[in-house]
Amino acid sequence: MEFLCFIKLAFTINVLSLLSFSLLAYANSPCDFPAIFNFGDSNSDTGGLSAAFGQASPPNGESYFRHPAGRYSDGRLVIDFIVGVTAESLGLPYLSAYLDALGSNFTHGANFATAGSTIRPQNTTLHQSGFSPFSLNVQYYQFNDFHHRSQIIRNQGGVFKRLLPNAEDFFRALYTFDIGQNDLTAGYFLNMTTDQVRAYVPDALDQFKTIVKDIYDNGGRSFWIHNTGPVGCLPYVMDRVLITAGQIDKVGCAAPFNDVAQYFNLRLKETVVQLRKDLPSAALTYVDVYSVKYDLISQAKKHGFVHPLQACCGHGGKYNYNMHHGCGSKIKVNGKEIMVGKSCKNPSVMINWDGVHYTEAANKWVFDQIVNGAYSDPPIPLKNACQRQ
Ligand SMILES: *[C@@H]1O[C@H](CO)[C@@H](O)[C@H](O)[C@H]1NC(C)=O
Ligand SMILES: *[C@@H]1O[C@H](CO)[C@@H](O)[C@H](O)[C@H]1NC(C)=O
Ligand SMILES: *[C@@H]1O[C@H](CO)[C@@H](O)[C@H](O)[C@H]1NC(C)=O
């Protein structure tokens, strides 16, 4: 009798704990993303532009990799912290650039981002305007090709099985995006007014929406989407575009350009809301990187940084930036040839690396703010980004 009772009790406890365990698991268990596929511009390029058009030059990469590593920074980018490094990261190896023919291992994903990429294809060459031919639609063609051909090649077995993701990984992967900044600057550099730039933002976001849907049709379900940063705080914009004193905000940034970035972000957020309706089984996380970067720049000292509006690896002028003498180029000072960036002694306390991109220290700081979902809609951590809210 006693024995029976014990069995019954144990059974009840077991069922109860099983139930609560599965409920907990549903709400909190990490997604265990087996792979990550990234689309974007230089903010997340881990070697794409370098593979196609020549390596990024020293001193890029000096702080972490100790040599140029296809990244426009002294070290790692936000995407590098997303895939691996901290306990909150996804625990995967650094992403190989899809375009990198040598030494790539795509088992855990591929990176389609290249520096200078836009959402809207530009009608100029890289050499004319500095914008990459690998616009978002081209990155999608490459992904589509990768998806299909990787499976044919993987089926040959042997080493190919240890270089390419399996079919199921495309469903379970995290798809990340950081693109749009260059769509805005493309107009500014053609001397368009901010109103003219604003006018084509809806077209850019329509094209963005199409690509997310195409990836969904290819099996993608989890999307992690960064909005665009405060481009009006970057030396390459402030130095190149005419700004009147009245347009400078209290931090020292060019307000009209940040206003357009925020308009882009508002429309991006609406686009994500629409995509949630259109794609019933997708989990879409919108990440407000703008606020994080603006907070970092406007309260640099509080966060342990100095000279928030100056490039570390640059030369001359108010922002230590000159577009004709970029980071790593050679210039003559007092008859002596020097490399631009030699004077950048302590990138770990600087925010801006080369007038356009962020330092590794700033990228790590941004990652630390966004990883737990504090700036996300819905507010879920990176590791849970497969869960629909
Ligand atoms: C490029 O040209 C095409 C065809 O004229 C046009 O539809 C498109 O908007 C242009 N792209 C940009 C970024 O201006
Ligand atoms: C590629 O990377 C994966 C994961 O790190 C590893 O298991 C695999 O052996 C690597 N492939 C080759 C050919 O080294
Ligand atoms: C933009 O304006 C500047 C200054 O007036 C001029 O030097 C430059 O050539 C213009 N750029 C384009 C693409 O029209």
Side-chain angles (χ1 to χ4, degrees):
M1 191 66 189
E2 250 180 288
F3 182 59
L4 250 177
C5 220
F6 174 77
I7 290 184
K8 216 174 146 189
L9 189 69
F11 180 75
T12 319
I13 289 171
N14 236 334
V15 169
L16 270 175
S17 63
L18 256 175
L19 250 177
S20 57
F21 175 77
S22 60
L23 279 175
L24 262 175
Y26 178 74
N28 296 322
S29 77
C31 304
D32 274 330
F33 295 114
I36 177 163
F37 296 102
N38 181 67
F39 301 81
D41 56 27
S42 56
N43 288 302
S44 60
D45 181 357
T46 56
L49 197 78
S50 286
F53 291 101
Q55 289 295 319
S57 69
N60 282 295
E62 66 172 10
S63 302
Y64 182 76
F65 301 99
R66 308 281 167 208
H67 55 81
R71 290 152 176 85
Y72 296 89
S73 180
D74 59 311
R76 291 163 292 183
L77 311 180
V78 174
I79 189 73
D80 293 314
F81 293 108
I82 286 179
V83 298
V85 175
T86 76
E88 293 80 26
S89 305
L90 300 183
L92 302 174
Y94 292 129
L95 281 183
S96 291
Y98 169 76
L99 292 167
D100 223 334
L102 300 175
S104 289
N105 182 337
F106 299 113
T107 311
H108 296 292
N111 191 355
F112 301 91
T114 69
S117 288
T118 48
I119 298 172
R120 302 197 321 152
Q122 302 298 303
N123 295 317
T124 52
T125 68
L126 180 82
H127 291 287
Q128 288 167 327
S129 63
F131 293 105
S132 164
F134 305 105
S135 46
L136 186 59
N137 61 327
V138 178
Q139 293 181 26
Y140 170 72
Y141 302 146
Q142 294 175 333
F143 165 73
N144 193 39
D145 199 48
F146 178 83
H147 187 181
H148 292 104
R149 293 189 62 231
S150 64
Q151 298 315 295
I152 297 168
I153 294 164
R154 198 172 187 277
N155 282 340
Q156 296 173 7
V159 71
F160 299 114
K161 269 196 142 63
R162 291 189 292 116
L163 287 172
L164 297 166
N166 66 43
E168 196 202 313
D169 291 345
F170 288 89
F171 290 93
R172 294 180 51 222
L174 183 64
Y175 291 82
T176 54
F177 296 82
D178 192 326
I179 195 162
Q181 178 174 326
N182 295 320
D183 287 271
L184 306 183
T185 60
Y188 301 146
F189 296 161
L190 289 171
N191 294 336
M192 285 187 185
T193 64
T194 54
D195 280 342
Q196 286 171 315
V197 173
R198 223 172 239 267
Y200 65 69
V201 164
D203 178 43
L205 289 168
D206 273 348
Q207 297 194 27
F208 179 82
K209 186 161 72 185
T210 301
I211 299 302
V212 172
K213 287 184 173 179
D214 287 341
I215 293 172
Y216 182 89
D217 291 341
N218 258 274
R221 288 297 176 265
S222 304
F223 299 88
W224 177 267
I225 300 165
H226 289 184
N227 70 5
T228 202
V231 72
C233 300
L234 301 178
Y236 85 120
V237 169
M238 292 194 288
D239 188 65
R240 189 160 162 186
V241 178
L242 263 180
I243 304 158
T244 63
Q247 293 175 326
I248 301 288
D249 72 9
K250 58 183 192 308
V251 173
C253 304
F257 302 101
N258 283 345
D259 289 347
V260 179
Q262 283 181 293
Y263 172 70
F264 176 92
N265 290 340
L266 183 79
R267 299 301 297 253
L268 175 63
K269 198 166 183 185
E270 287 169 10
T271 303
V272 170
V273 169
Q274 186 58 47
L275 281 165
R276 287 195 188 112
K277 291 187 184 133
D278 295 348
L279 310 176
S281 341
L284 294 125
T285 308
Y286 170 89
V287 189
D288 184 11
V289 170
Y290 181 100
S291 295
V292 177
K293 287 181 173 172
Y294 192 77
D295 177 35
L296 176 61
I297 291 166
S298 57
Q299 307 207 63
K301 214 172 153 187
K302 180 179 146 194
H303 301 309
F305 291 87
V306 296
H307 311 306
L309 298 179
Q310 281 179 26
C312 187
C313 184
H315 178 79
K318 190 173 169 193
Y319 306 110
N320 193 38
Y321 173 81
N322 181 328
M323 67 177 286
H324 303 294
H325 304 300
C327 179
S329 65
K330 302 273 191 324
I331 51 167
K332 273 214 160 105
V333 174
N334 302 329
K336 219 179 109 197
E337 192 178 77
I338 60 158
M339 183 178 78
V340 172
K342 273 271 177 267
S343 60
C344 170
K345 291 280 186 289
N346 198 356
S348 69
V349 295
M350 293 290 283
I351 294 171
N352 197 284
W353 167 240
D354 57 3
V356 186
H357 310 101
Y358 290 78
T359 58
E360 166 169 299
N363 287 329
K364 172 70 165 61
W365 195 87
V366 170
F367 168 77
D368 286 341
Q369 310 311 305
I370 63 174
V371 67
N372 288 323
Y375 289 86
S376 295
D377 173 44
I380 50 174
L382 172 69
K383 280 186 173 177
N384 295 56
C386 62
Q387 291 159 8
R388 274 176 66 79
Q389 293 287 299

